[in-house]
Amino acid sequence: MDLRLDPLQERLRDAVDTVLTRTGEPSAQLATIGVPTLNAPERFGGLALGLTADIVVNERLGFGLEPLGCYRATAFALDLLDSDDIRTEHLSEIVADLHKGLRHAVVIGADGPARLRVTPDGKLWGESEPLPRSVIGLCVVRADDGSWHLVLPETGTCTVESIDQFGLPASRVRFDGAAAELLPISTAQWERALGAARIRQAALLLGLAYRIVEVARTHVNGRVQSGKPLAQRQTVAHRLAALLGEADGWRLVLHKAAWAFDRGERCGTAAVLAVAAEHARLAGRTALQLHGVRGMLAHSTAANVYRMTAVESVRLGTPAALWLEAAR
């Protein structure tokens, strides 16, 4: 089933697909078509087009196998800072770089407080969880006492380390007495920013799932065993058909959730992310199995997507934790 997009979504989808064929650093290339500003709050010079536009971007990033977690992390951070109670005029230079894709923002402790402590004099100490690899220019941090802080990384008090997470590039920030500005982030503001982040993440995961199913279909149509393509075996064809049908259904759920969110209506973002994560995991496992030994090779697309899904499906909480929240 081909979900009909509105003209803006269609143009955006085609533009993102075109950008992903270019050489160069992907986030900087996306900035050439204005992607970072599409859903950025107006107070930061963004267009605030809403999630109905943003989910198209993230789905195509997933389909293009360019997760770019730094893009979603930046959007998440700006949503948290979008409040009249938070002073942001001193961030104008950093925000300009965020829009150009030269630097990015991160949210630390989004899935529960990180192991970071803040002293009474406003100094932050500790180490972050694995984060998307990027040039970090701004950190929104939740400390171990639940308080929120803004940190602008400085040499000497902040160290960004490049690490691998399941064979994929990631970063970790170490704070050694970094200056931390207390942020008055309300519960309502946090819940709204988290809800938007979950919908963006769900879009990415569904894009990854669509791509790996397409790769699996190509493989089983060309792989011949006992004189006929694997795709002609009912057990194989039925598994892929079920995945494609479920994908179309979850995509409709995603678009409905984004539409409701943009209109300020209540929608279960925890459940939306949970189903997207579970579907992407199932698609990744199925593709890996259908590829057999070839799928286990480190350079294979099936193995690469499996690793991506393993990381991205728990970035904002495990499916089990999300379902538990959704059931409350």
Side-chain angles (χ1 to χ4, degrees):
M1 179 181 64
D2 182 23
L3 177 66
R4 289 184 177 274
L5 303 178
D6 65 34
L8 174 61
Q9 289 175 317
E10 288 183 351
R11 294 283 297 273
L12 187 54
R13 177 198 59 194
D14 294 343
V16 173
D17 287 347
T18 299
V19 162
L20 292 180
T21 65
R22 300 177 184 172
T23 58
E25 208 285 315
S27 61
Q29 293 293 326
L30 287 174
T32 64
I33 60 171
V35 163
T37 65
L38 291 179
N39 199 36
E42 292 182 7
R43 69 183 291 117
F44 295 115
L47 299 177
L49 293 184
L51 289 177
T52 50
D54 221 12
I55 58 173
V56 174
V57 174
N58 285 289
E59 185 181 344
R60 299 318 294 173
L61 291 179
F63 189 84
L65 305 186
E66 289 285 359
L68 285 185
C70 56
Y71 166 69
R72 286 178 304 287
T74 297
F76 192 3
L78 292 183
D79 282 347
L80 285 171
L81 295 173
D82 184 22
S83 170
D84 292 336
D85 296 328
I86 298 176
R87 185 175 63 90
T88 58
E89 60 272 7
H90 62 300
L91 303 178
S92 58
E93 182 178 342
I94 295 174
V95 170
D97 282 350
L98 299 182
H99 291 336
K100 295 175 184 176
L102 302 177
R103 289 192 280 180
H104 299 90
V106 292
V107 178
I108 298 172
D111 186 23
R115 296 186 216 172
L116 297 167
R117 62 183 180 87
V118 61
T119 58
D121 61 345
K123 303 297 183 184
L124 195 68
W125 300 83
E127 188 176 82
S128 75
E129 68 271 23
L131 304 166
R133 185 173 295 182
S134 64
V135 179
I136 298 175
L138 183 154
C139 304
V140 178
V141 181
R142 179 157 58 177
D144 57 3
D145 62 359
S147 60
W148 286 99
H149 302 267
L150 174 66
V151 179
L152 305 181
E154 295 180 352
T155 304
T157 60
C158 295
T159 304
V160 180
E161 304 170 346
S162 294
I163 62 172
D164 285 339
Q165 186 180 19
F166 295 106
L168 299 174
S171 297
R172 178 176 283 122
V173 183
R174 186 185 302 277
F175 300 99
D176 297 301
E181 177 186 342
L182 184 64
L183 294 174
I185 295 177
S186 66
T187 300
Q189 187 179 347
W190 157 248
E191 291 177 349
R192 175 125 186 119
L194 178 62
R198 285 172 170 172
I199 291 177
R200 294 186 193 102
Q201 192 70 17
L204 173 88
L205 288 165
L206 291 182
L208 283 170
Y210 266 108
R211 178 59 180 273
I212 195 55
V213 170
E214 182 179 276
V215 169
R217 288 176 67 191
T218 301
H219 174 73
V220 298
N221 275 297
R223 179 69 169 166
V224 176
Q225 284 188 358
S226 303
K228 63 179 181 180
L230 280 176
Q232 293 183 14
R233 299 180 181 274
Q234 287 190 355
T235 53
V236 173
H238 288 174
R239 291 174 75 184
L240 290 177
L243 281 173
L244 286 170
E246 290 170 5
D248 287 339
W250 296 137
R251 193 178 178 206
L252 286 171
V253 168
L254 173 71
H255 280 258
K256 181 180 179 181
W259 175 252
F261 191 93
D262 285 345
R263 297 179 65 182
E265 299 174 1
R266 185 178 178 82
C267 59
T269 60
V272 171
L273 180 53
V275 296
E278 290 180 342
H279 175 73
R281 287 181 173 188
L282 177 59
R285 289 196 303 269
T286 301
L288 206 61
Q289 292 164 1
L290 292 177
H291 277 76
V293 174
R294 295 184 181 185
M296 299 180 188
L297 299 177
H299 64 274
S300 76
T301 301
N304 194 31
V305 173
Y306 186 85
R307 289 193 298 271
M308 287 182 190
T309 303
V311 172
E312 299 297 343
S313 64
V314 297
R315 193 175 291 283
L316 294 175
T318 65
L322 291 166
W323 279 124
L324 181 61
E325 179 184 334
R328 290 172 184 163

